């Protein structure tokens, strides 16, 4: 019985630490620190920037994205755009080619073989590095097609690289001002999740310069620190960030580097995406597990923010089984009621949420718990996909709103 109780409370603590205690610790540590202050002023000679995108069937969003880049207030002579199409089968190639044909700073590579995002990113970054006039101060910005930028966003990302210790700068991704998704599906829950992640990453940057991976939608990296991503890796942004740490670089988040990305509302689409990310997370853990030791800011952030979360579904399952054993086989009323509470949380609340959806009625807390359960189930599913082996970096991207 004692062993079961220890396992139960250890699992509860791991979940509590990652989701509640760690953000509190971050806030306390970061409260007396500021973000990087060694920055380029707008009137200084700014570094050259290569803006990099890998596309696959992005016809619904790519023209708007290209226009936001063309409208950037970053010096035109310092900004080049490198675009690779991963054998797109819709109108993506035609749209990009037409947009880029009279713009010398837009470089388009329509690949004819479907290989996956990591391979495309590797190839076009190689082209960007060859074309760079100043390889020492060259900055890469890697972005998704559906993430829209303000005119000032590129400068806000790049300004920090005056500090030679900075290796990566992440953006502040928000829900589009012009697109209101309301409370449909999981939109509100996903929006809250992204906002909280941005907040935590910003605190991590202030606290110890170790933002645990960018959100991936739009981030800048010092080009000389970039390492090609293995072609079978599904979470390229985290791999790139951890390679920066291996080389001694720091990573921060700037809340002024604002981008916009529509949050999904369909649970099944997001479950599929989170499953893919989960498989990629465990692949990254296998490569970077050595960064969990020795103890320090790096290992503490990696363990608290990422590893404990990735193993969250196993903690939930272990605590549930321990509560069942202690409650039923040892007839302990305390653990019996904990088992009942967990059962209601895992099964009753999603069922209640389903019933409310049928009545077009939304209760925010119930929807959020349903979302939390589903995303942990996706983590669990992704773990077994990782064990089966990921052969390549190809996947069907999330459906875009037109």
């Amino acid at each position: 019985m004692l062993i079961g109780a220890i396992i139960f409370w250890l699992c509860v603590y791991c979940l509590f630490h990652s989701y509640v205690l760690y953000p509190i610790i971050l806030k306390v540590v970061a409260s007396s620190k500021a973000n990087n202050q060694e920055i380029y002023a707008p009137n200084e000679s700014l570094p050259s920037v290569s803006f990099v995108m890998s596309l696959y069937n992005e016809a619904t969003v790519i023209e708007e994205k290209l226009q936001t880049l063309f409208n950037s207030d970053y010096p035109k002579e310092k900004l080049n755009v490198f675009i690779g199409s991963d054998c797109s089968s819709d109108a993506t190639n035609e749209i990009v080619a037409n947009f880029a044909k009279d713009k010398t700073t837009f470089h388009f590579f329509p690949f004819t073989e479907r290989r996956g995002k990591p391979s495309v990113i590797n190839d076009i970054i190689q082209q960007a590095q060859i074309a760079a006039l100043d390889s020492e101060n060259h900055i890469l910005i890697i972005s998704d097609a559906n993430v829209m930028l303000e005119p000032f966003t590129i400068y806000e990302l790049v300004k920090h690289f005056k500090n030679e210790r900075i290796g990566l700068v992440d953006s502040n991704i928000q829900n589009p001002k012009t697109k209101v998704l309301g409370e449909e599906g999981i939109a509100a829950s996903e929006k809250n999740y992204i906002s909280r992640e941005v907040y935590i990453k910003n605190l991590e940057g202030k606290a110890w310069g170790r933002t645990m991976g960018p959100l991936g939608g739009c981030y800048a990296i010092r080009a000389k620190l970039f390492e090609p991503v293995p072609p079978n890796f599904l979470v390229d942004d985290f791999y790139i960030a951890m390679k920066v740490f291996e080389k001694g670089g720091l990573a921060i988040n700037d809340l002024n580097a604002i981008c916009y990305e529509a949050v999904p509302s369909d649970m099944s689409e997001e479950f599929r995406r989170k499953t893919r990310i989960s498989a990629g997370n465990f692949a990254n853990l296998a490569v970077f597990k050595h960064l969990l030791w020795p103890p320090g800011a790096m290992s503490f952030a990696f363990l608290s923010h990422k590893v404990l979360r990735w193993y969250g579904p196993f903690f939930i399952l272990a605590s549930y089984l321990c509560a069942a054993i202690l409650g039923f086989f040892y007839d302990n009323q305390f653990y019996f009621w904990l088992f009942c509470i967990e059962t209601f949380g895992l099964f009753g609340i999603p069922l209640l949420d389903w019933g409310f959806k049928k009545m077009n009625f939304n209760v925010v807390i119930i929807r959020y718990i349903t979302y939390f359960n589903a995303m942990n189930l996706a983590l669990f599913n992704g773990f077994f996909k990782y064990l089966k082996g990921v052969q390549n970096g190809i996947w069907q991207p999330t459906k875009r709103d037109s």
Side-chain angles (χ1 to χ4, degrees), residues 116-291:
K117 180 181 176 183
S119 296
V120 174
I121 288 289
N122 291 341
D123 284 358
I124 55 179
I125 286 180
Q126 183 181 35
Q127 294 296 323
Q129 290 177 320
I130 291 171
L133 297 176
D134 182 5
S135 58
E136 184 64 25
N137 297 310
H138 183 208
I139 306 301
L140 301 169
I141 296 180
I142 303 172
S143 181
D144 291 339
N146 65 320
V147 176
M148 307 303 164
L149 282 63
E150 291 280 11
F152 54 79
T153 303
I154 292 178
Y155 164 73
E156 294 294 342
L157 287 170
V158 173
K159 68 183 183 183
H160 293 284
F161 290 96
K162 186 174 183 178
N163 183 341
E164 294 185 358
R165 298 186 65 204
I166 299 295
L168 185 147
V169 182
D170 194 16
S171 62
N172 177 8
I173 295 183
Q174 302 179 1
N175 197 43
K177 295 180 293 186
T178 57
K179 190 172 292 187
V180 180
L181 297 181
E183 303 298 332
E184 292 183 10
I186 59 167
S189 299
E190 180 68 11
K191 181 181 177 181
N192 289 336
Y193 167 77
I194 291 173
S195 297
R196 189 170 184 269
E197 279 296 286
V198 169
Y199 173 72
I200 289 174
K201 290 174 187 293
N202 183 260
L203 290 179
E204 284 178 330
K206 289 180 180 178
W208 30 66
R210 295 292 192 280
T211 296
M212 281 295 103
L215 280 174
C218 183
Y219 62 98
I221 174 177
R222 199 178 293 277
K224 65 182 181 181
L225 298 181
F226 173 79
E227 284 281 338
V229 183
N232 64 331
F233 266 49
L234 298 176
V235 185
D236 52 283
D237 53 320
F238 191 80
Y239 180 91
I240 291 169
M242 298 304 271
K243 283 296 181 180
V244 168
F245 295 145
E246 280 190 338
K247 295 180 178 182
L250 301 181
I252 63 172
N253 171 278
D254 192 316
L255 297 180
N256 293 320
I258 297 172
C259 301
Y260 302 100
E261 180 180 21
V263 295
S265 59
D266 183 75
M267 178 73 84
S268 60
E269 277 289 307
E270 188 61 10
F271 182 86
R272 180 174 64 84
R273 189 176 78 90
K274 286 290 200 297
T275 295
R276 171 179 62 80
I277 291 173
S278 172
N281 287 339
F282 286 106
N284 274 306
L285 179 58
V287 172
F288 297 110
K289 59 182 180 294
H290 62 279
L291 294 180

